[in-house]
Amino acid sequence: GFGQSSFEGAAKRFLSSLREGKDPGTDSRANRIQIFILRKLDKGRTKIVYTYNTTPEELEQRGEIWWTACHNLPELPRIFESENSRDLFPLEAANLLNSAWNQDGTLASKKFKPFSGYHGLELFFDDGSMARNDLSALLRNLEPVAVKLGRYAYHLDKVSRTQEIFQKSFLLLGLLLDRLGSRKEQYMQEFPYLYGQLLKVSDEMHILYCRVERDGDFPPQLVGGSFYNAAAELPLQTLTQLGQRMIPYISWAKAYQYKNRSDKEKESWRAGWYLRLYERLASQIAEQTELKTKFIEAERAQMFIGYLAQFPQSDKQNSGSNENKITEETDGGTNHEV
């Protein structure tokens, strides 16, 4: 169900108010609607900065398209979610596009805001011509913080309520990919997304190694995250380097998986689970008909999402009870300040 503040609920109430007349049970006969935005220049002057002619039918259709496109995403760790960030309203888009992030996960001060406050309304009525430019801007904002977000997902840091903007940004990413014709059913099977998942499982294996062999002493960078930026620029070349870097961790995991350890967060069966994920992802990538030497922006967005998304649902359904437990834990448990 949807709360009172959901986009879908708000859209339905708005359309209902348009169609009902002043008297109960009558039709408002609102066949044509003109939307316009005014900017006050000074005490006596006002300027029209945006106008659009529409109908209730078009508003309903575009509302459904908007809501569906925002959910053009795989399942993300719950640590990025909150009750207030499961929906994206059009007028929230400009703030996301104007918000730049530092590598440490803090919001960068950005005096220049190229996107007007009503840009999301333009995007709402757009058929796709704006998507490429918007995606480019959103990626510039988000890519610097990708590795830090990855560490949030692995529970090495906490996410506060002030960072709900990340989840809103994911929804906007899903919408922009949809406008560019990239649906999750397709991109989740392709090289960029699979590569992001491979970086994620590389991090997971490195974390397990550090918990077992280094008593929880984590380095500044995890293996997958250390290759993230290079992978976005030179994916094929970096793939080879990642494979070489992972050799000692894979060898360790192959031996450790049979140790029958059951210490909290050091369980040996985790190693076998990560190994199977790593090998399957590497195999899926090897089967791709085209491994690009350079990613276009939509593909970089897919890799970004893949790096942060949960592992496939089939792993939860087909694995044993112990492995179900680990997938629940890595979803973003309740022991964090979200």
Side-chain angles (χ1 to χ4, degrees):
F2 293 86
Q4 291 300 306
S5 62
S6 75
F7 172 77
E8 188 182 52
K12 285 180 179 178
R13 291 193 299 276
F14 176 68
L15 287 167
S16 176
S17 67
L18 281 179
R19 288 179 168 134
E20 291 178 3
K22 292 182 179 180
D23 299 321
T26 62
D27 188 341
S28 68
R29 299 187 180 181
N31 297 322
R32 294 184 63 223
I33 300 163
Q34 185 176 33
I35 296 171
F36 55 91
I37 295 173
L38 305 176
R39 176 179 293 158
K40 195 168 186 179
L41 301 177
D42 53 39
K43 201 168 184 179
R45 294 186 304 158
T46 301
K47 177 183 178 183
I48 297 176
V49 293
Y50 176 78
T51 182
Y52 187 86
N53 293 313
T54 185
T55 64
E57 291 72 28
E58 184 190 14
L59 281 174
E60 183 173 28
Q61 182 184 36
R62 289 194 180 273
E64 290 173 356
I65 290 170
W66 177 276
W67 188 89
T68 302
C70 283
H71 295 81
N72 181 32
L73 293 166
E75 192 173 353
L76 294 163
R78 287 196 301 271
I79 196 166
F80 293 126
E81 294 186 3
S82 75
E83 289 299 323
N84 298 325
S85 63
R86 291 175 183 168
D87 275 298
L88 177 67
F89 286 78
L91 290 181
E92 293 177 307
N95 183 46
L96 302 178
L97 291 166
N98 287 327
S99 298
W101 296 91
N102 298 313
Q103 290 185 356
D104 63 0
T106 59
L107 194 60
S109 59
K110 192 176 179 183
K111 293 181 181 178
F112 176 61
K113 298 185 182 298
F115 292 91
S116 64
Y118 58 87
H119 181 80
L121 196 58
E122 296 176 298
L123 185 60
F124 180 82
F125 289 111
D126 181 65
D127 290 318
S129 61
M130 298 166 60
R132 195 171 302 279
N133 180 61
D134 286 6
L135 182 62
S136 177
L138 189 59
L139 275 180
R140 280 197 304 271
N141 291 343
L142 290 175
E143 280 188 321
V145 79
V147 175
K148 187 69 173 181
L149 287 176
R151 290 178 75 90
Y152 287 147
Y154 308 132
H155 297 183
L156 301 184
D157 299 278
K158 296 179 180 179
V159 180
S160 70
R161 290 189 179 278
T162 59
Q163 290 155 323
E164 290 173 355
I165 191 171
F166 289 137
Q167 177 67 7
K168 298 276 190 181
S169 297
F170 298 146
L171 297 176
L172 184 55
L173 268 182
L175 180 138
L176 295 173
L177 283 174
D178 183 86
R179 292 283 168 90
L180 293 170
S182 182
R183 292 292 303 163
K184 65 180 179 181
E185 296 80 10
Q186 175 190 359
Y187 74 68
M188 288 174 68
Q189 308 301 321
E190 295 175 348
F191 178 37
Y193 180 87
L194 295 172
Y195 199 0
Q197 290 268 281
L198 190 69
L199 294 173
K200 176 186 174 79
V201 77
S202 298
D203 278 354
E204 293 277 16
M205 203 179 297
H206 192 188
I207 286 171
L208 181 61
Y209 172 84
C210 291
R211 282 176 174 153
V212 173
E213 302 295 339
R214 297 185 178 277
D215 201 27
D217 181 21
F218 299 102
Q221 283 190 311
L222 301 171
V223 173
S226 69
F227 281 102
Y228 184 91
N229 292 328
E233 293 296 331
L234 298 168
L236 200 53
Q237 180 179 327
T238 308
L239 186 62
T240 304
Q241 296 170 351
L242 173 68
Q244 293 171 343
R245 182 76 174 84
M246 284 299 294
I247 289 173
Y249 298 105
I250 289 170
S251 299
W252 171 82
K254 284 180 177 177
Y256 183 68
Q257 66 180 320
Y258 301 114
K259 295 288 186 183
N260 294 320
R261 288 277 298 276
S262 58
D263 311 48
K264 181 174 172 55
E265 295 188 324
K266 297 181 182 180
E267 300 94 338
S268 54
W269 51 261
R270 293 175 185 250
W273 184 59
Y274 296 146
L275 271 172
R276 288 191 295 277
L277 279 170
Y278 186 94
E279 289 168 356
R280 186 196 313 150
L281 286 163
S283 176
Q284 286 177 292
I285 288 172
E287 291 168 1
Q288 297 289 309
T289 54
E290 183 182 8
L291 294 181
K292 295 193 174 182
T293 56
K294 192 79 175 175
F295 285 157
I296 61 172
E297 282 163 339
E299 291 165 337
R300 290 171 72 116
Q302 292 159 13
M303 192 186 92
F304 177 88
I305 293 169
Y307 182 57
L308 298 173
Q310 290 185 34
F311 294 125
Q313 290 290 329
S314 58
D315 292 309
K316 298 179 183 181
Q317 295 162 359
N318 299 333
S319 54
S321 59
N322 281 340
E323 291 173 7
N324 281 325
K325 182 180 178 183
I326 178 64
T327 54
E328 289 169 7
E329 289 173 1
T330 53
D331 282 350
T334 57
N335 60 328
H336 283 269
E337 191 184 306
V338 180

